[in-house]
Amino acid sequence: MKYKSLFLFSITAIALFSFQEIICRYYFYYMEQLQLFLFVKRYAIQVTNTVGGCSDYIARFLVQYFKLPGMGAFITTFLLLAMLACNWGIIKKKTLPATVYWIASVPVLFFLLLQVDLLYKLQGTVAFLIMLLGLLAYVYVNKSSFRLLCGALLLPIIYWMAGPVVVLFVLGASLWELSGPKKGWLLAMCLPVEYGAIIGLSLRLGVESSWSNAILPSLYYDASKVPPAAYYPWIAFLLMLVLTLFYRFNPSVKSPSVKKDLFSIGIQLLPMLLMFAWLSTHEDTTRNSRIKQDHFLREKQWDQIIKTYNVSQSDNLQSAVLYLALAEKGDLGDKMFSYKPKGVESLLPQWDNTLFSSITLSDIYYGIGDIATAQKYAFEGSVSSIQGGSVRLLQRLVETNLIFGSYKVAEKYIFLLERTSLYRAWATGMRKFLYHDALLVQDPVLGSKRKALMGTGDYAVSSIVTKTLEQLAVHSADNQMALQYLTSLYLLNKDRNAFRSFLERYYGTEVWPRLSTLSQEAVLTLERDNPKYWLQHGVSLQVSQRFKAFNSDLSMKQSYYNVKEEIASSYGDTYWFYLIFDK
Amino acid sequence: MKKYLLSTLAFLLLACSGPSETVDRPEVVPSIFPDYTDVTIPYNIAPLNFRVEGAAKTKALFHFDTFDFTVNSSDGDIVIPPKEWKNLLSAAVGKKIKITIREQVKDGWKEYLPFSMQVAKEPVDAYLAYRLIEPGYSLWNEMGIYQRSLSDYEETAIYENKQTEHNCVNCHSFCKNNPDTMLFHMRASHSGTVFIQGENVDVFDTKTDRTMSPLVYPSWHPSGKYVAFSVNKTTQDFHPSQRVEVFDLASDVVVYDLERRTIVTTPLCFSKNNLETFPSFSADGKTLYFCTAESRPIPDSLFSLRYNLCSLSFDARNGRFGTKVDTLYNARIKGKSVSFPRVSPNGRFLLYTLSDYGTFPIWHKEADLHMINLETKEEIPLTGLNSDETESYHSWSSNGHWIVFSSRRLDGLYTRPFIAYVSEDGAVGKPFLLPQKETHYYTYLMKSYNIPEFITHKAGNRAVAIRKKATQRTVREPVAFLLEN
């Protein structure tokens, strides 16, 4: 029996780790960047000095290591296994056999559902484990009077450490007492009464803001409305306890025959397999591709972004990241229309106030060189971060403030990052730029972005994006990002007058030495019958010949009912197609 | 006495017992943060802990007359024992205390020139109230109105927005520095103005058909029967040179009569042709100061939008306004824009903020504090108060000898509260940063101090009552609007 339990446990551990590493890897990376864990006493006091604060502190401590490959899956597997062991311990106290392993695993498996919710906080998992440890301690006290005393003491401790999950401790302990031999109902009443008094006091002191917050899992969600899935582990846990009692009082089930074969083990592992299967088939593929792309964006893996991009599953933010990757590779001006943009929003989407949008737009504008806008989104994202600060956005704020020469603010943020575990070295590396303009301008990234600010110097944040891009393009000729975006924006806007104006001012200068393919295609539409103009503005023979072919094809198929599809098959990646067919 | 003599002796002995006997005495004062050198402080202030920049093993000798004590530090942080500090300040009321810093260096000790702190005879109010919020562009998350004991470091919440779904809470205001008569607004969810009068809490929806917005910038009448407010159609935008530019498209000034629950106003401060804002009652309640500018196309003419400082008489007996507007600061002639007028409790001085243009100077680096002597109408120079960064909101202590103001001078972004002494004749001492127990406190703090206001005693915990009123929708509206002819 002992070996079978060990085997089951090992199989579960391996399966949980593997499943999470495959399904949740990018989720872990995403969650890590949304918090700022500081190794300082005041941070510890600040986080723990509230209801549920200890669980929050432990969770934040653990989440910071999600940055390391495999650590997210390892840590969460460890937490889930610890829960499983506690559940098993509680069940075993009722002297049940290992064949009821599956009952213990069900509440745990529901946490897998929560794990992939971006609004769920690991605090909920840690809090649940704290509650289970408390309940385990409680049920292993045999003498009822001592057990009652133990429960009465544990209740406020668990409440303070873990938050509203303590309600499960109260209900669990009460169920336990109800299943006891005598006067169970009397004991069962004690803890609920005590908890009611604690909530009442908390409400009076303003520690809690409502009854519902004290008994529902809203603390573990960064959302005003908690999804139904948040209740599943709680309900499953209570059902587990009820089933445990059912087994205990049903002699026919209490002593089942144990078949030591693979079939029996398979039955025990069935809930886990079912959960894996369900999660695999109900994956939120859009969200998953977003957080995966976000990881590539953070790591500047431009090829991966382009390679994994799926036109049909992408929203504007994702297409904007794709276009950033293309621009970083210098291909935006050649390949933009190959990915079916849906207007300007595909290139530079509107900010929708969400954290995800803030992070992405900050990266895009930083890449372009619009530092003020990148800083704005970094700051707004930082303010609205789940855990009250984002390490990724704080890094961005260090960079933008260094570029602006706001050294005192940059120093403040560096100071904070130096008190983290995994960003200390990066922060210390940035310290050398503080109050050292000469060194900063030599840096290939910060220096070139600082140089782009030199222009007229009168923009911090401009609401007219083309004006900002033009200023950046003109004043940072060595950085073609702004130029690529500006010309792409003109093309997407079908603003041929602005395109012509810019072309005639800057083509052939260091600002715009060479036209991309799409820009050449646009030049042809400015002067359709003027090959001299084409030549003067760098249109290649290949592009002009293709233009002729396009016109001829269009004339021929103009009467077709499916003319758009017909033309798209050969010219869907051209500006001409976009100009004519994309409304 | 014996204790202090022993302390001095110990300081001298220890100072001479380093790696060598050498004591270098450079003719400079130490570089300390916060800069507490030569500041004027109240005798009831919490210890002004500081750190000696770049120092490791350090000693600080605090000295006045026969009282002195030494603080030893291994990392340059000088954390002053509260009891000794209190005794020292009590003994030195009206005089100067002297602080001498010795820093251990490679070859022995370095003793800097001593610096002093002037201990004023007048105490400061017991608490400072403020809002803590990130200096963001448009979003917020957690924020709250807090109170800080000025004789120690205790900070408690007056109201935190976590009670009401993280809504915006702003514009807290107290009647004559009394936290038992106060108000603040809630925006977004559960919007309304929270009025607290003793144990009574009310939440009013103050938007009327005749006013363009709910009530905004407040100023209590000293009687506690009226509150002057602005009503503003405010917007904010990104800006070529400031981080954010907040401006009014339209605004008026009104007075809310709490007993009659009526809004009263006059065309002199409720006009479509002018923007009127930032009302402020005088200490005797007979005058209402406000800022006003001619309406113009905004934001196109934003750079030329400058506010005058004007006043209007007010009769609290019948709630009626005077018929003549006086101009104290003419923006067209002087070329700057006025905001936040605040009259001292003795009625002699008026403190205000001047910026190059516009109505909301908190993002204007050039914004500085200015003061007028209301008796002589002369400007009192405040050069020691201002910095290259923004100085904006300010308020007076109940005895009129202390002012607190917001400044971004530490890092250019996060506003911090500075306190300065004002003498009988209006001379202003060097301001000092609100002291904290931990010398790195402000480095860790990611929020700005907003609307610092002195209060005479600790505000009671009314969070539950406020939440209840706000969430149960027991919101009442002003019953009437009265526009005088």
Side-chain angles (χ1 to χ4, degrees):
Chain A
M1 177 66 78
K2 187 181 168 187
Y3 292 113
K4 182 177 173 181
S5 303
L6 197 62
F7 180 70
L8 275 170
F9 211 72
S10 305
I11 289 280
T12 307
I14 293 165
L16 281 174
F17 176 83
S18 308
F19 180 79
Q20 292 192 95
E21 182 58 12
I22 293 164
I23 300 290
C24 312
R25 183 197 300 177
Y26 297 103
Y27 161 86
F28 294 131
Y29 291 142
Y30 182 77
M31 295 309 288
E32 179 274 331
Q33 66 188 352
L34 302 187
Q35 67 161 30
L36 177 70
F37 186 89
L38 302 177
F39 279 91
V40 288
K41 190 173 142 193
R42 77 188 311 272
Y43 177 79
I45 293 169
Q46 189 188 325
V47 177
T48 55
N49 192 22
T50 176
V51 172
C54 288
S55 59
D56 193 18
Y57 186 78
I58 294 167
R60 292 186 192 201
F61 172 81
L62 295 173
V63 167
Q64 70 180 318
Y65 295 108
F66 282 11
K67 180 177 166 59
L68 304 173
M71 278 304 281
F74 177 80
I75 288 167
T76 47
T77 299
F78 174 81
L79 291 173
L80 297 181
L81 286 176
M83 275 188 205
L84 188 60
C86 288
N87 281 349
W88 213 345
I90 291 166
I91 291 171
K92 273 179 76 178
K93 180 65 182 164
K94 290 291 185 186
T95 61
L96 294 178
T99 42
V100 294
Y101 175 87
W102 69 273
I103 301 179
S105 71
V106 173
V108 176
L109 291 172
F110 277 115
F111 277 98
L112 286 177
L113 267 182
L114 303 182
Q115 295 283 89
V116 290
D117 188 334
L118 298 179
L119 295 175
Y120 176 69
K121 298 192 267 186
L122 188 70
Q123 179 191 5
T125 309
V126 174
F128 199 91
L129 181 58
I130 291 172
M131 181 279 298
L132 281 178
L133 288 168
L135 191 61
L136 192 66
Y138 177 85
V139 300
Y140 274 82
V141 177
N142 288 325
K143 197 171 176 185
S144 60
S145 55
F146 283 152
R147 195 165 61 246
L148 185 66
L149 181 66
C150 173
L153 291 173
L154 278 171
L155 198 159
I157 294 170
I158 296 171
Y159 171 65
W160 188 251
M161 288 181 73
V165 74
V166 74
V167 75
L168 294 183
F169 173 81
V170 173
L171 293 173
S174 299
L175 280 171
W176 199 265
E177 297 304 339
L178 283 173
S179 71
K182 56 183 177 181
K183 289 189 180 176
W185 63 271
L186 200 59
L187 290 171
M189 287 305 293
C190 294
L191 291 183
V193 169
E194 184 187 353
Y195 189 47
I198 288 173
I199 297 175
L201 190 64
S202 299
L203 286 169
R204 187 152 188 78
L205 295 174
V207 176
E208 285 283 3
S209 55
S210 68
W211 274 90
S212 61
N213 284 353
I215 56 172
L216 299 177
S218 50
L219 182 69
Y220 314 122
Y221 263 85
D222 191 55
S224 51
K225 215 169 184 183
V226 176
Y231 298 94
Y232 296 166
W234 288 31
I235 295 165
F237 174 72
L238 292 174
L239 283 176
M240 179 195 89
L241 289 176
V242 171
L243 280 172
T244 303
L245 297 178
F246 169 75
Y247 271 115
R248 177 155 169 31
F249 292 113
N250 188 337
S252 64
V253 188
K254 191 183 170 188
S255 305
S257 59
V258 181
K259 295 179 182 175
K260 294 181 180 176
D261 54 19
L262 285 174
F263 180 75
S264 167
I265 289 172
I267 292 292
Q268 299 304 307
L269 295 174
L270 192 61
M272 185 167 66
L273 297 173
L274 288 173
M275 181 60 83
F276 286 176
W278 192 89
L279 281 171
S280 305
T281 51
H282 289 77
E283 256 188 295
D284 185 339
T285 48
T286 306
R287 187 194 56 199
N288 286 355
S289 67
R290 279 175 80 170
I291 58 174
K292 190 173 177 179
Q293 190 195 52
D294 179 71
H295 175 70
F296 295 145
L297 173 63
R298 192 183 184 196
E299 299 295 319
K300 297 183 171 51
Q301 295 180 18
W302 311 122
D303 290 327
Q304 282 292 336
I305 290 171
I306 296 164
K307 196 174 136 189
T308 55
Y309 183 75
N310 184 333
V311 177
S312 61
Q313 282 189 347
S314 299
D315 55 18
N316 281 336
L317 270 179
Q318 283 172 279
S319 71
V321 173
L322 169 82
Y323 290 136
L324 177 68
L326 287 172
E328 290 282 357
K329 304 278 291 177
D331 291 337
L332 183 62
D334 297 328
K335 298 178 180 172
M336 179 169 66
F337 291 114
S338 305
Y339 294 91
K340 314 287 177 227
K342 299 175 195 80
V344 177
E345 282 284 298
S346 297
L347 188 68
L348 289 173
Q350 288 288 316
W351 181 48
D352 62 6
N353 286 9
T354 62
L355 180 56
F356 198 90
S357 164
S358 302
I359 291 172
T360 308
L361 288 177
S362 181
D363 273 11
I364 289 171
Y365 281 99
Y366 186 75
I368 295 170
D370 185 351
I371 305 306
T373 308
Q375 178 163 292
K376 170 190 150 63
Y377 291 128
F379 202 95
E380 296 289 60
S382 195
V383 168
S384 54
S385 293
I386 295 171
Q387 312 279 16
S390 154
V391 70
R392 174 174 173 182
L393 294 173
L394 201 59
Q395 285 181 291
R396 171 57 35 76
L397 289 173
V398 169
E399 292 165 334
T400 55
N401 280 292
L402 283 174
I403 292 165
F404 276 133
S406 303
Y407 292 127
K408 285 182 177 174
V409 180
E411 189 173 21
K412 174 190 178 84
Y413 298 148
I414 287 172
F415 178 90
L416 295 174
L417 286 167
E418 282 177 336
R419 272 127 193 99
T420 63
S421 169
L422 301 177
Y423 297 88
R424 190 175 300 151
W426 183 89
T428 305
M430 300 307 273
R431 196 170 265 285
K432 63 177 177 285
F433 297 118
L434 290 172
Y435 312 103
H436 205 326
D437 288 335
L439 191 64
L440 189 131
V441 294
Q442 286 169 19
D443 184 76
V445 178
L446 302 178
S448 79
K449 292 186 192 301
R450 164 77 69 89
K451 198 177 152 196
L453 300 180
M454 298 296 176
T456 58
D458 68 350
Y459 85 97
V461 178
S462 170
S463 51
I464 306 167
V465 69
T466 46
K467 189 181 164 194
T468 306
L469 287 172
E470 183 175 329
Q471 194 167 5
L472 289 167
V474 171
H475 292 105
S476 57
D478 55 337
N479 176 4
Q480 292 281 297
M481 289 292 285
L483 177 72
Q484 290 187 70
Y485 268 82
L486 180 63
T487 51
S488 300
L489 216 55
Y490 287 147
L491 300 190
L492 286 172
N493 270 332
K494 301 182 182 178
D495 189 349
R496 286 185 287 168
N497 288 337
F499 181 84
R500 180 198 281 269
S501 166
F502 193 74
L503 176 84
E504 293 178 355
R505 274 182 291 151
Y506 293 108
Y507 173 67
T509 69
E510 61 167 5
V511 173
W512 200 356
R514 186 190 66 82
L515 295 193
S516 65
T517 307
L518 297 175
S519 290
Q520 291 177 49
E521 290 174 2
V523 170
L524 295 172
T525 66
L526 298 178
E527 297 280 345
R528 294 175 61 92
D529 305 313
N530 188 353
K532 192 179 169 192
Y533 187 84
W534 304 352
L535 271 174
Q536 281 172 344
H537 292 89
V539 177
S540 68
L541 188 62
Q542 191 185 3
V543 173
S544 55
Q545 283 177 346
R546 197 176 180 210
F547 185 53
K548 281 173 192 161
F550 169 80
N551 282 329
S552 151
D553 212 20
L554 186 64
S555 306
M556 194 173 71
K557 295 173 179 168
Q558 213 151 29
S559 57
Y560 289 15
Y561 76 96
N562 61 342
V563 58
K564 188 176 177 182
E565 288 72 27
E566 281 288 324
I567 299 293
S569 61
S570 306
Y571 300 100
D573 60 346
T574 65
Y575 175 60
W576 315 311
F577 179 84
Y578 178 79
L579 191 64
I580 295 170
F581 292 104
D582 200 298
K583 305 298 180 193
Chain B
M1 177 67 77
K2 195 175 166 186
K3 188 177 141 195
Y4 293 109
L5 286 172
L6 283 172
S7 175
T8 310
L9 190 62
F11 177 81
L12 294 171
L13 284 173
L14 282 168
C16 298
S17 62
S20 80
E21 299 297 315
T22 314
V23 178
D24 180 27
R25 290 190 172 81
E27 292 290 306
V28 290
V29 289
S31 173
I32 64 168
F33 179 85
D35 178 10
Y36 288 146
T37 60
D38 304 320
V39 294
T40 303
I41 59 173
Y43 62 80
N44 59 336
I45 193 74
L48 267 62
N49 295 338
F50 59 88
R51 69 172 180 270
V52 182
E53 298 281 20
K57 194 169 180 183
T58 315
K59 295 175 191 303
L61 173 67
F62 291 79
H63 174 82
F64 170 71
D65 197 11
T66 54
F67 290 86
D68 52 29
F69 61 90
T70 303
V71 177
N72 295 306
S73 166
S74 60
D75 56 4
D77 282 3
I78 305 299
V79 181
I80 306 164
K83 196 176 167 189
E84 278 84 343
W85 173 258
K86 196 175 172 186
N87 291 338
L88 182 73
L89 296 200
S90 301
V93 172
K95 306 277 173 43
K96 282 183 178 177
I97 60 168
K98 196 170 79 174
I99 298 107
T100 307
I101 302 293
R102 281 198 174 193
E103 179 189 347
Q104 193 175 54
V105 290
K106 201 177 172 186
D107 304 323
W109 290 86
K110 185 159 70 176
E111 184 179 298
Y112 293 96
L113 284 180
F115 61 91
S116 62
M117 294 178 187
Q118 175 72 40
V119 183
K121 287 177 184 168
E122 298 84 359
V124 71
D125 287 317
Y127 282 79
L128 183 70
Y130 42 81
R131 180 173 69 148
L132 288 177
I133 182 174
E134 286 94 351
Y137 296 78
S138 55
L139 295 186
W140 73 85
N141 193 350
E142 289 179 352
M143 71 166 86
I145 301 164
Y146 298 87
Q147 55 189 338
R148 160 70 198 277
S149 166
L150 291 177
S151 57
D152 55 38
Y153 308 106
E154 183 202 43
E155 183 185 73
T156 47
I158 294 177
Y159 193 79
E160 289 177 311
N161 71 341
K162 68 182 181 186
Q163 300 284 343
T164 34
E165 297 166 27
H166 291 91
N167 59 356
C168 176
V169 292
N170 61 17
C171 294
H172 53 280
S173 177
F174 305 89
C175 180
K176 291 165 74 178
N177 306 89
N178 180 1
D180 296 331
T181 307
M182 68 169 287
L183 66 87
F184 66 90
H185 304 308
M186 288 186 179
R187 305 298 191 208
S189 53
H190 313 298
S191 63
T193 300
V194 179
F195 285 90
I196 297 169
Q197 291 174 297
E199 290 305 309
N200 188 39
V201 175
D202 273 310
V203 182
F204 296 155
D205 176 359
T206 56
K207 172 78 177 75
T208 71
D209 294 339
R210 302 285 300 277
T211 49
M212 67 185 79
S213 74
L215 303 175
V216 188
Y217 303 123
S219 172
W220 282 87
H221 189 271
S223 67
K225 292 178 181 174
Y226 302 95
V227 188
F229 286 99
S230 62
V231 285
N232 311 60
K233 197 180 282 180
T234 303
T235 188
Q236 72 170 42
D237 207 347
F238 306 134
H239 187 276
S241 57
Q242 321 291 352
R243 185 177 164 112
V244 179
E245 184 70 59
V246 180
F247 50 89
D248 286 339
L249 300 172
S251 64
D252 290 313
V253 164
V254 300
V255 170
Y256 185 57
D257 181 332
L258 277 97
E259 287 177 354
R260 291 189 292 160
R261 288 174 49 213
T262 302
I263 287 175
V264 290
T265 189
T266 163
L268 297 172
C269 58
F270 195 88
S271 152
K272 280 186 177 172
N273 297 328
N274 292 305
L275 302 162
E276 300 94 351
T277 190
F278 295 130
S280 184
F281 275 115
S282 61
D284 60 8
K286 292 178 180 172
T287 309
L288 179 66
Y289 294 92
F290 60 99
C291 302
T292 178
E294 278 179 32
S295 291
R296 57 190 64 212
I298 303 292
D300 296 346
S301 303
L302 186 63
F303 291 125
S304 60
L305 179 69
R306 297 189 178 91
Y307 284 72
N308 305 301
L309 175 59
C310 294
S311 68
L312 182 63
S313 63
F314 181 75
D315 188 344
R317 288 168 301 182
N318 51 22
R320 293 189 73 86
F321 296 89
T323 53
K324 188 184 159 213
V325 173
D326 288 328
T327 303
L328 281 84
Y329 182 97
N330 189 317
R332 192 165 45 82
I333 294 170
K334 296 190 175 178
K336 296 266 184 180
S337 187
V338 179
S339 43
F340 307 136
R342 289 287 181 273
V343 182
S344 63
N346 60 14
R348 291 181 60 197
F349 307 113
L350 189 148
L351 193 63
Y352 61 99
T353 306
L354 269 189
S355 56
D356 283 351
Y357 64 90
T359 178
F360 207 66
I362 69 163
W363 291 108
H364 285 233
K365 272 178 181 278
E366 82 286 355
D368 279 335
L369 298 181
H370 290 256
M371 192 157 78
I372 301 174
N373 183 329
L374 290 173
E375 290 166 357
T376 63
K377 303 286 188 269
E378 284 175 359
E379 181 87 16
I380 297 171
L382 297 180
T383 43
L385 220 58
N386 293 308
S387 72
D388 292 341
E389 298 290 345
T390 311
E391 276 75 37
S392 53
Y393 193 87
H394 46 266
S395 60
W396 292 86
S397 67
S398 61
N399 63 11
H401 280 287
W402 299 95
I403 55 171
V404 60
F405 61 95
S406 303
S407 174
R408 295 188 199 271
R409 67 186 61 181
L410 292 191
D411 54 32
L413 179 58
Y414 293 88
T415 51
R416 304 299 184 214
F418 286 78
I419 299 170
Y421 176 73
V422 183
S423 68
E424 286 293 334
D425 59 359
V428 178
K430 181 179 173 182
F432 64 92
L433 178 64
L434 176 69
Q436 302 291 350
K437 191 172 184 180
E438 195 184 352
T439 62
H440 276 294
Y441 182 90
Y442 291 107
T443 315
Y444 285 114
L445 187 66
M446 299 289 271
K447 287 185 163 68
S448 275
Y449 286 76
N450 185 223
I451 313 185
E453 292 271 356
F454 289 115
I455 49 176
T456 51
H457 57 276
K458 190 174 184 177
N461 184 350
R462 298 181 180 91
V464 176
I466 295 167
R467 186 187 64 232
K468 198 172 170 186
K469 288 275 183 177
T471 55
Q472 288 180 349
R473 299 192 174 279
T474 53
V475 175
R476 294 181 286 167
E477 294 180 12
V479 291
F481 178 90
L482 188 62
L483 178 63
E484 290 180 4
N485 291 321

